[in-house]
Amino acid sequence: VTEQPLRIGIAGLGVVGGGVVTTLQQNAGLIASRIEREIQIVAVSARNKSRHRHLPLGDATWCDRAVDLANHPDVDVVVELIGGSEGVARELCETALKNGKHVVTANKALIAHHGVELAQLAESQRRVLAFEAAVAGGIPIVKAFREALGANRFHRVAGILNGTCNYILSAMQHRHQDFETVLAEAQRLGYAEADPSFDVDGIDTAHKLAILTSLAYGSAVDIEGVHIEGIRSIALQDIIFADQLGYVIKLLGIARETEQGIEQRVHPCMVPSHSALAAVEDAFNAVEVEGDATGKMIFEGRGAGAGPTASAVIADIMDIARGSWYRPFNLPADKLQKRNRAAMDDLEVACYLRLSVIDRPGVLAEITSIFRDEQISLHSCLQRARMPGSVVQVVLTTHETRESALQRAVKRIGALDAMTDSPRLIRIENL
Amino acid sequence: VTEQPLRIGIAGLGVVGGGVVTTLQQNAGLIASRIEREIQIVAVSARNKSRHRHLPLGDATWCDRAVDLANHPDVDVVVELIGGSEGVARELCETALKNGKHVVTANKALIAHHGVELAQLAESQRRVLAFEAAVAGGIPIVKAFREALGANRFHRVAGILNGTCNYILSAMQHRHQDFETVLAEAQRLGYAEADPSFDVDGIDTAHKLAILTSLAYGSAVDIEGVHIEGIRSIALQDIIFADQLGYVIKLLGIARETEQGIEQRVHPCMVPSHSALAAVEDAFNAVEVEGDATGKMIFEGRGAGAGPTASAVIADIMDIARGSWYRPFNLPADKLQKRNRAAMDDLEVACYLRLSVIDRPGVLAEITSIFRDEQISLHSCLQRARMPGSVVQVVLTTHETRESALQRAVKRIGALDAMTDSPRLIRIENL
């Protein structure tokens, strides 16, 4: 170890910040030997000083305001672990870059909303803006797109990017409990937030997807262009029917480049039970990438938590310590194109439909004639527990068809007299 | 694109070399935009010039001898795709590095046998020696160890590293055919070499494992320290019994750091049917890494073939084009320690044993008393198709026990009069 230590300032000492501090101490010798340099925490900032007495912070300076780290003369790298797309986190990162400091962040909301501007700032100062920890926790997927898979044109990116959702869907599947029950338990265990909407409504997945899309397709991050549906509407019945049909339900983020433009969508999907993504359980994340040279590739690991996120944050710091410099989104930030959005209506997709109908003569004829009108071809039809006059579940799967036709059919079916609940539609992805 | 093109010379235009040339041409614009620089093939060398007329080689100089590329004044990077641990490939890489050129290679045998010397040479010249393509084809596992997972201490590395073996084992499992039948077909289809021993005897896996071990544990590459068993002895019966017991048989390379030293072993393993590695089918490769910060992580993709290998080779070239420099094994080459080898005898492992015995009174008592003598505790016992006087298969699984005791027991059981064939032992890895 010959070079000067790399001096970092950490903003935010919650789960992730604590993990970074602890891992840096625990593996200090190992890390220093790998980069031939020491990493020194010279300053920290957190909401509550007294709460962090147990952390091995040595004689790091305490800053009352996070932004002070950006102005601290001894800080080479600002590590932003506060979160949120605006306010303190944004101000801190902007100021740090303007002041010629490198920035490492785990903040997906910030990068999804302001990644391009921040990248321009970083490039203009020739500083690093690194955000490996913002997507899929410990999985080095940002580096994979930025560096390791650079020879490829990508056919598709599909990921399980939110551990909370995957935990909930896995638990529903294995324990046969409904969404609300599992969510309540996840909240008790600390796997889900008190206000779970960021996770279960798909927003967190959309943030991560938007970042991956930009890396894969060289487009400007376009969070507004992501079609987002969450998992609240998934009923236990859907999970059981999926199983019978040979599928597992996962919340996926999917990006593709089509003739119409860039397609970005987050919604529950049925994936074949034997597929790699179906086997991703609990709070694990996974990203499936299909490149023209490399073919199908899967990266799986823990998508959140102190250790995995710290691993990604520290890897970014180590790259800086080695003197690496790169453009945050691979292409020069001002060459990231605003691309057309492929309209959701133009999607060609197979789907599963569950209809709660009163079991009486002619209902199935009404339904199937709507499919005929919309030229949707059915793949299978399942009707259980037939009892004239009572409510039955009719489960249909379609061949690949246009989303707009599906939506019209769902609307018309929903308006039928025999329907006792709105139709449930889940798209099928044959990965 | 402002910088000078990066000029490469390619030695070897077989499947991989052809893939590199084709991919570089096909995705030329994309690649150049990602590195803001062009990659130019300025010279090539191959055994048979006329055979490669179809490749888009432009006005690249043909060199009669591969080593000429190392002396070519216009070549910045030598791409060695010849193979073999000695001879032309070794001479080419050494000369290129001595002459101040970067080297990118897909040659696992060369790196497994001479990686440390070559790394010393590269470091002394401050040139890159890159070998992503040498391990697990398109999977960026070398970069993952060298960079992305640098914050971690590794508990274990376990990989399916040879596509031919995985193809054969998958086919045996799904088609219920025996080893010889599947091998013959794989040879017909070009998935296996005419002389398959490098693959099926585990040598190729050992080369790759030795490289990963060095990256993970900072030890000098120690190919002689790898315990190697191949898959020739795997009978269809073992695969069927494995399935009944809830396992799948895979050829794994496993590395760990134990109190005794570095453990490196390549042998067929039974892995739980629901584990991630069990689901890796056909010619796919996968590496499971367990780090202290990141937890369990799986990287899966195609381990061989033109496209995947070209993807890895070109990624290495792109890193050079960006100006990256790094030590080939992360630590300085002269700090890679020669570490003690954990003796295979000290391994604690569970195992499956299949015994072909003449079914007569007292045989099972003889067998079980040997286990008692060696203090091996049995987990399960399966005996099928009982017909007094005929040969039956007795299948036993043990709890975790010492390898040396297992080997003594196997030897003693093998010497019993009732045995009609030598005992088959397959270790169980509960990944």
Side-chain angles (χ1 to χ4, degrees), chain B residues 20-21 31 35 64 125 133 149 274 289 302 330 348 355:
Chain B
V20 170
V21 173
I31 292 169
I35 52 176
D64 287 336
Q125 300 275 357
L149 303 178
H274 54 79
V289 181
R302 294 191 179 278
N330 211 346
E348 296 283 334
L355 310 174

Side-chain angles (χ1 to χ4, degrees), chain B residues 30-63:
Chain B
L30 202 58
I31 292 169
S33 74
R34 286 172 179 164
I35 52 176
E36 297 171 79
R37 211 172 156 184
E38 267 169 38
I39 295 172
Q40 223 173 33
I41 304 173
V42 293
V44 294
S45 169
R47 256 177 298 181
N48 187 334
K49 184 168 169 174
S50 58
R51 200 189 289 167
H52 305 292
R53 288 219 181 100
H54 63 287
L55 288 175
L57 288 167
D59 48 6
T61 310
W62 273 90
C63 295

Side-chain angles (χ1 to χ4, degrees), chain A residues 18 20 23 49 55 98 113 123 125 148-149 159 167 172 211 223 245 252 257 267 311 313 318 328 374 408:
Chain A
V20 170
T23 307
K49 184 169 171 175
L55 288 175
K98 280 183 191 152
H113 285 278
E123 290 176 11
Q125 300 275 359
L149 303 178
Y167 173 85
M172 289 172 73
I211 297 170
I223 182 67
L245 293 163
L252 297 190
E257 194 174 22
H267 55 72
S311 172
V313 167
M318 291 172 78
E374 298 293 349
R408 280 193 303 270

Side-chain angles (χ1 to χ4, degrees), chain A residues 34 36 143 147 152 327, chain B residues 34 36 143 147 327:
Chain A
R34 286 171 179 164
E36 297 171 80
K143 188 184 258 292
E147 299 167 22
N152 291 268
R327 301 187 183 273
Chain B
R34 286 172 179 164
E36 297 171 79
K143 188 184 261 288
E147 300 167 21
R327 299 187 183 274

Side-chain angles (χ1 to χ4, degrees), chain A residues 86-348:
Chain A
E86 310 298 333
V88 181
R90 186 180 178 190
E91 186 196 359
L92 170 62
C93 292
E94 281 178 359
T95 314
L97 290 170
K98 280 183 191 152
N99 290 350
K101 300 184 190 305
H102 303 288
V103 169
V104 173
T105 176
N107 189 335
K108 40 245 163 196
L110 177 69
I111 299 299
H113 285 278
H114 305 294
V116 178
E117 304 142 52
L118 288 168
Q120 281 166 333
L121 203 49
E123 290 176 11
S124 70
Q125 300 275 359
R126 217 175 156 87
R127 286 298 177 275
V128 169
L129 167 67
F131 45 82
E132 183 65 79
V135 186
I139 305 173
I141 191 68
V142 172
K143 188 184 258 292
F145 276 113
R146 207 183 51 221
E147 299 167 22
L149 303 178
N152 291 268
R153 186 177 300 278
F154 300 106
H155 295 313
R156 188 183 53 208
V157 181
I160 295 173
L161 298 171
N162 182 275
T164 305
C165 286
N166 205 55
Y167 173 85
I168 291 173
L169 292 171
S170 292
M172 289 172 73
Q173 180 191 342
H174 295 303
R175 298 190 218 139
H176 279 204
Q177 291 176 331
D178 64 17
F179 175 80
E180 297 299 339
T181 309
V182 173
L183 173 62
E185 198 219 350
Q187 287 171 318
R188 259 199 320 278
L189 293 171
Y191 297 166
E193 307 280 336
D195 174 2
S197 52
F198 235 63
D199 292 317
V200 302
D201 293 334
I203 301 158
D204 177 76
T205 300
H207 286 152
K208 295 164 178 169
L209 179 69
I211 297 170
L212 290 184
T213 305
S214 172
L215 287 161
Y217 297 109
S219 53
V221 190
D222 180 18
I223 182 67
E224 273 80 29
V226 185
H227 171 90
I228 311 177
E229 299 171 31
I231 63 167
R232 286 187 205 261
S233 65
I234 302 296
L236 176 56
Q237 275 190 308
D238 297 317
I239 288 184
I240 294 170
F241 281 124
D243 184 51
Q244 287 168 8
L245 293 163
Y247 293 102
V248 173
I249 300 177
K250 296 289 184 191
L251 181 71
L252 297 190
I254 300 175
R256 289 193 313 153
E257 194 174 22
T258 75
E259 282 171 25
Q260 278 71 47
I262 300 287
E263 172 186 312
Q264 297 186 88
R265 50 195 169 101
V266 172
H267 55 72
C269 291
M270 290 200 180
V271 299
S273 304
H274 54 78
S275 64
L277 290 185
V280 177
E281 299 275 7
D282 304 328
F284 273 76
N285 281 16
V287 182
E288 187 175 302
V289 181
E290 219 180 308
D292 61 350
T294 200
K296 198 185 275 192
M297 195 156 250
I298 298 134
F299 300 79
E300 184 182 344
R302 293 191 180 279
T309 314
S311 172
V313 167
I314 297 171
D316 278 345
I317 298 172
M318 291 172 78
D319 272 350
I320 294 170
R322 285 188 188 99
S324 301
W325 185 78
Y326 48 82
R327 301 187 183 273
F329 292 95
N330 211 345
L331 301 197
D334 46 24
K335 286 199 180 158
L336 295 169
Q337 291 178 293
K338 289 207 174 177
R339 300 281 298 278
N340 279 338
R341 297 169 184 167
M344 197 64 188
D345 272 353
D346 293 337
L347 187 68
E348 295 283 334

Side-chain angles (χ1 to χ4, degrees), chain B residues 53-134:
Chain B
R53 288 219 181 100
H54 63 287
L55 288 175
L57 288 167
D59 48 6
T61 310
W62 273 90
C63 295
D64 287 336
R65 302 180 323 144
V67 75
D68 295 344
L69 295 172
N71 296 311
H72 194 298
D74 294 340
V75 168
D76 304 315
V77 183
V78 166
V79 181
E80 186 274 301
L81 304 172
I82 300 168
S85 64
E86 309 298 333
V88 180
R90 185 179 178 190
E91 187 197 359
L92 171 62
C93 291
E94 281 178 1
T95 314
L97 289 170
K98 279 182 190 151
N99 290 351
K101 300 184 190 303
H102 304 288
V103 168
V104 173
T105 176
N107 189 334
K108 39 246 165 196
L110 178 70
I111 299 300
H113 285 279
H114 306 294
V116 178
E117 303 143 52
L118 289 169
Q120 281 166 334
L121 203 49
E123 289 176 11
S124 70
Q125 300 275 357
R126 215 172 159 89
R127 286 299 177 274
V128 169
L129 167 67
F131 45 82
E132 183 64 80

Side-chain angles (χ1 to χ4, degrees), chain A residues 5-17:
Chain A
L6 182 74
R7 300 164 305 173
I8 69 173
I10 302 178
L13 290 173
V15 172
V16 176

